[in-house]
Amino acid sequence: MIAYEEHRLRTLVEDGRWPELLGSYRQARAVAVARAGEERAAAVTAPLGHLIAYAAPPEVAVRLFDPDGGPGTAAGVADHDSGPLWEVLATRHSWLRLAPLLGPARVRRLVAHTRVLLGDDLSHGAEPDPEGVPLVLEPWECAGWGEGTRVRDYLPRGGSRSALLTLPATREGLGPVLLPEPGGRLRGQRATRALAALAEWAEVACVRGPAPQAAGQLAPGRRVTGGYLPFAIAYPVLVQAGSAERSQGSADGRLALWRALGAMAGGEGPNRVEVNALVARMRCFTWCDPADDLRHVHVAMEDPATGLSWAVSGSDEP
């Protein structure tokens, strides 16, 4: 029966019978929800959802997220195969094509910010972001990326490629540094919580003092290879850290990082003027740890205006 169903679905794909495939997706998801719950249903139907999001005409693909099929039939923002289905969709079509078709507000927002990461300027072509995150990349957001690395590169039949999560990426420009013994650690900072929400696998510390002192909270008294780098180099890796889970996309990482930067700037939200001013004055320190896995982040960010520094450090084991 399974082999027959797979053959039928392959035939529908080859014939471009996308409305029928959408119907099969909805039926399978609703049945799986009734039998095993939302989480299991999302996992079971994700491969077919990926096919539809990747290759179907946008008029059909957007209906993956439309609840008009009945209870349990619509994909949510967490439905994913090698990445969230909304991100697959966003990589395939322009905002101009998708905007008139997309319904659910959370999906619309994430798709819009994905298109921004892909280079679209939506500052005059989309509804304002509810938190005030700009719908166009700031110059410092563009500088540190490699070619085609801002969003996962999705493959037609499933799977994806993405840049390796490493900061520092090399030891070039770094030198021997003895990190200080830990001093007073500040607790209860809203920015610390926001940075911790960026990547659950990373440890975050805040101090009143320069960036190496914040790093010393996480690697006290250790001799490391470290040095300063522009925040624009650290930015892409922090966005990736916020989208390391397969249920998260690059838009999730960008939104989470803007929230953290807004809190570091002392604002109530990610105010564009305040965040730009913070980035312009911020000093970033990075270091290597001999125990690093392939995917790691070590960075301390210092705000000279307040004298506060935050360190983010950890390895995301695959």
Side-chain angles (χ1 to χ4, degrees):
M1 179 62 73
I2 294 176
Y4 167 78
E5 181 64 13
E6 290 178 351
H7 175 74
R8 186 182 73 85
L9 293 175
R10 281 200 302 270
T11 300
L12 292 177
V13 170
E14 291 166 1
D15 293 344
R17 293 156 65 180
W18 297 110
E20 291 178 60
L21 280 162
L22 177 64
S24 295
Y25 172 86
R26 287 177 161 183
Q27 181 180 22
R29 197 181 189 288
V31 169
V33 167
R35 290 178 177 172
E38 277 283 339
E39 185 175 348
R40 179 60 182 159
V44 167
T45 57
L48 179 54
H50 179 104
L51 288 175
I52 296 170
Y54 186 93
E59 294 80 7
V60 175
V62 296
R63 296 183 65 199
L64 284 168
F65 310 97
D66 196 329
D68 66 356
T73 60
V77 293
D79 283 48
H80 66 278
D81 187 24
S82 57
L85 299 185
W86 52 262
E87 186 172 71
V88 179
L89 174 68
T91 64
R92 303 299 295 161
H93 307 284
S94 69
W95 180 250
L96 190 64
R97 292 289 307 277
L98 294 172
L101 305 170
L102 279 168
R106 289 184 69 195
V107 175
R108 281 185 69 86
R109 185 189 189 202
L110 290 166
V111 168
H113 280 282
T114 304
R115 292 306 315 176
V116 168
L117 280 162
L118 290 169
D120 291 0
D121 180 351
L122 304 186
S123 55
H124 302 291
E127 55 268 25
D129 182 79
E131 291 184 274
V133 178
L135 287 169
V136 62
L137 292 177
E138 298 296 322
W140 51 267
E141 292 187 273
C142 301
W145 298 93
E147 184 67 27
T149 59
R150 293 180 191 165
V151 179
R152 293 182 183 100
D153 179 22
Y154 288 100
L155 307 176
R157 301 291 182 181
S160 65
R161 294 183 289 257
S162 60
L164 193 62
L165 176 72
T166 53
L167 184 71
T170 71
R171 298 190 173 203
E172 185 178 354
L174 307 181
V177 177
L178 179 63
L179 294 178
E181 293 293 337
R185 187 167 180 169
L186 299 180
R187 302 189 184 276
Q189 299 287 320
R190 188 161 53 88
T192 306
R193 294 192 297 272
L195 285 167
L198 188 68
E200 294 181 355
W201 42 265
E203 187 178 359
V204 179
C206 176
V207 303
R208 187 172 298 281
Q213 286 188 11
Q217 288 286 330
L218 306 183
R222 188 177 299 174
R223 186 170 294 279
V224 299
T225 302
Y228 286 89
L229 78 171
F231 178 73
I233 303 300
Y235 171 80
V237 182
L238 291 171
V239 170
Q240 287 178 281
S243 56
E245 299 294 328
R246 287 195 297 169
S247 61
Q248 298 172 318
S250 295
D252 289 304
R254 181 176 187 247
L255 291 169
L257 184 52
W258 268 86
R259 289 185 199 107
L261 292 171
M264 290 167 65
E268 291 301 316
N271 180 278
R272 184 178 186 178
V273 173
E274 293 174 353
V275 169
N276 279 334
L278 169 69
V279 169
R281 66 178 182 261
M282 191 157 53
R283 304 185 72 215
C284 290
F285 175 83
T286 188
W287 70 96
C288 297
D289 190 315
D292 284 338
D293 291 317
L294 283 176
R295 297 165 58 83
H296 59 269
V297 175
H298 304 298
V299 64
M301 296 164 283
E302 174 188 335
D303 182 2
T306 63
L308 298 179
S309 295
W310 287 266
V312 179
S313 178
S315 294
D316 178 30
E317 298 181 6

